[in-house]
Amino acid sequence: QAAKLSEGLSALGAEPVEVPVLEIQPPENLAPLDEALQRLHSFDWLILTSGNTVKVLAGRLAALGLNPSELSKIKVAAVGESTAAAARKNGFPVTFVPVSYLAESLVHGLVGGMSGLKVLIARAAIARDLIPDALRKSGAEVEVVDAYRNVLPAAAPELLRDALKQKLDAATFTSSSSVTHLAQAAAAARLAFPFVDVPAASIGPITSQTLHEHGWEPAIEANPSDIPGLIAAVVELFAV
């Protein structure tokens, strides 16, 4: 999934050094997800939080003999245009996409008139509770199910050691999870974190907050909070 970022930076003459720190795996128990999908028609809204969520849901629906395009009676919200594009490609009838690539923007666009509505949120395990908490406060009945887990790849510590043997001019972060998992990889490799004299480029305010919590103040933050925005931020970081 780093391909778009790496390709965009390479096209500008940069040399991407990839250290995968997120590996997508199924949840420990698929039963809650499958059970929720089998009664998907009973919800008023389905909220898709990432392209990974879309991929997993499409696969599970197919395994259950269900078709996303048959869910025309419910509304589907997607966090960001890339998630929406993946959803439409897989047959989900997307109803709402927030103006910015942030969970907060999604909540702001949905909270009006949500009282009494049933909402299903499929997402990564151990994700932030901003969306479900805000919707519950607006009166919605919210159910959250794990669609997948982000785990640290076994090779990450060794790849990180090799990467830091080079002179890195910046580190890019596309999510809060990429920050926390890189910190885990550094700990496993017995490396100091944050990395000395390596500026951090963040995709958005939530990722920046996670960097701050780990003692790494971002040198620059993307706006808009998407991959093209992050590439532009890196260019700005080194503009002379």
Side-chain angles (χ1 to χ4, degrees):
Q1 291 182 326
K4 290 183 179 180
L5 178 58
S6 292
E7 290 170 2
L9 292 171
S10 294
L12 298 173
E15 297 180 14
V17 179
E18 294 186 6
V19 180
V21 294
L22 297 174
E23 182 177 304
I24 306 302
Q25 290 190 0
E28 294 182 356
N29 184 4
L30 278 169
L33 174 61
D34 286 353
E35 193 275 334
L37 292 178
Q38 286 173 323
R39 53 184 175 83
L40 194 52
H41 60 277
S42 68
F43 292 92
D44 298 292
W45 279 92
L46 168 65
I47 296 182
L48 303 172
T49 56
S50 70
N52 289 323
T53 301
V54 173
K55 182 177 180 181
V56 170
L57 263 59
R60 294 314 303 165
L61 286 170
L64 295 168
L66 302 172
N67 191 323
S69 62
E70 298 174 359
L71 306 173
S72 57
K73 292 183 179 180
I74 71 170
K75 296 180 179 179
V76 178
V79 178
E81 288 295 344
S82 61
T83 301
R88 294 186 182 104
K89 183 177 180 180
N90 283 277
F92 290 91
V94 177
T95 306
F96 174 72
V97 183
V99 294
S100 67
Y101 188 72
L102 293 170
E104 288 80 356
S105 182
L106 175 68
V107 169
H108 180 74
L110 285 178
V111 291
M114 295 296 291
S115 181
L117 298 184
K118 297 182 65 176
V119 181
L120 177 64
I121 301 176
R123 65 181 191 180
I126 318 179
R128 294 186 307 139
D129 286 330
L130 171 69
I131 295 175
D133 286 351
L135 292 177
R136 287 183 180 120
K137 288 180 181 178
S138 73
E141 182 181 338
V142 181
E143 183 172 337
V144 179
V145 291
D146 294 341
Y148 62 94
R149 293 178 295 142
N150 286 321
V151 301
L152 183 70
E158 186 61 34
L159 289 173
L160 181 56
R161 289 192 196 96
D162 292 341
L164 289 178
K165 291 176 183 177
Q166 309 178 50
K167 182 186 181 301
L168 299 180
D169 296 295
T172 58
F173 295 92
T174 57
S175 67
S176 289
S177 294
S178 67
V179 179
T180 57
H181 281 236
L182 186 62
Q184 292 174 19
R190 298 183 180 180
L191 298 168
F193 189 88
F195 308 139
V196 178
D197 296 328
V198 179
S202 165
I203 199 168
I206 304 304
T207 301
S208 295
Q209 176 62 31
T210 305
L211 281 164
H212 172 76
E213 292 167 357
H214 282 78
W216 198 343
E217 294 300 328
I220 197 162
E221 181 180 289
N223 185 16
S225 300
D226 54 18
I227 295 300
L230 182 56
I231 293 171
V234 173
V235 171
E236 182 181 345
L237 179 63
F238 296 106
V240 293

